[in-house]
Amino acid sequence: MSYGDAMNARVRSEERRAEIVRAALEVIAERGYRGASLAAVAERVGLTQQGLLHYFPTKDALLVAVLQERDQWDAVPNTRWRIDLLASLVEYNAMRPGIIQTFSALLGESVTEGHPARAYFTERYADVRASMAEVLRAEYGDRLPNGLTPERTAPLLVAVMDGLQYQWLLDPESVDMPGAFRDFLGLLGENPTDPA
């Protein structure tokens, strides 16, 4: 096999893997992780289950690829998160309900003992809280106007983001996720002892 043939084969393999990950996202969004089968994903991309196992040897390996792909979509390359970028991320999430539904379903399932995504989400939340504390420190310093430290506020910020996602997924007509998040960001900058 020539170098060019090998490169073409590698590109085709990467494209096929990406197609499988997209199909897995769809199947998980529809059925949840426990209800999603490798056979259903394989069928969606025109493979046998054995053919799919060539790309992802286990269901857990496919789940990790799905989660990593989702994280790539939210990455901010060569820069740090800022408060205004967080608001933009929430607006972006409102335009992709299928991805948010899949993420939320996996997050909910991951709290059960032995779930293959539990370690991923535990580590991810530790990283996100640390990142949000940095964002808050860059914006407000060591204390927010309300008196809380960035470390005390970071879990609240993450909870609001995720909680709004759940509410929005359940009733998108009644919950303005981007607007509610901007309202929350406004509360962070308020000083409760300020008479104004």
Side-chain angles (χ1 to χ4, degrees), residues 138-152:
E139 182 77 15
Y140 299 107
D142 289 336
R143 292 256 175 215
L144 279 70
N146 61 21
L148 292 176
T149 64
E151 288 72 23
R152 294 270 316 270

Side-chain angles (χ1 to χ4, degrees), residues 102-170:
T102 302
F103 179 82
S104 298
L106 287 171
L107 173 58
E109 290 180 358
S110 74
V111 300
T112 58
E113 199 62 43
H115 192 280
R118 186 178 182 117
Y120 166 85
F121 279 111
T122 300
E123 182 178 325
R124 183 180 188 282
Y125 270 107
D127 292 344
V128 168
R129 286 189 305 270
S131 178
M132 293 303 104
E134 288 179 27
V135 168
L136 293 165
R137 181 165 279 105
E139 182 77 15
Y140 299 107
D142 289 336
R143 292 256 175 215
L144 279 70
N146 61 21
L148 292 176
T149 64
E151 288 72 23
R152 294 270 316 270
T153 307
L156 302 173
L157 178 62
V158 176
V160 168
M161 290 178 83
D162 287 354
L164 282 171
Q165 285 182 172
Y166 278 108
Q167 292 178 60
W168 172 75
L169 286 169
L170 291 168

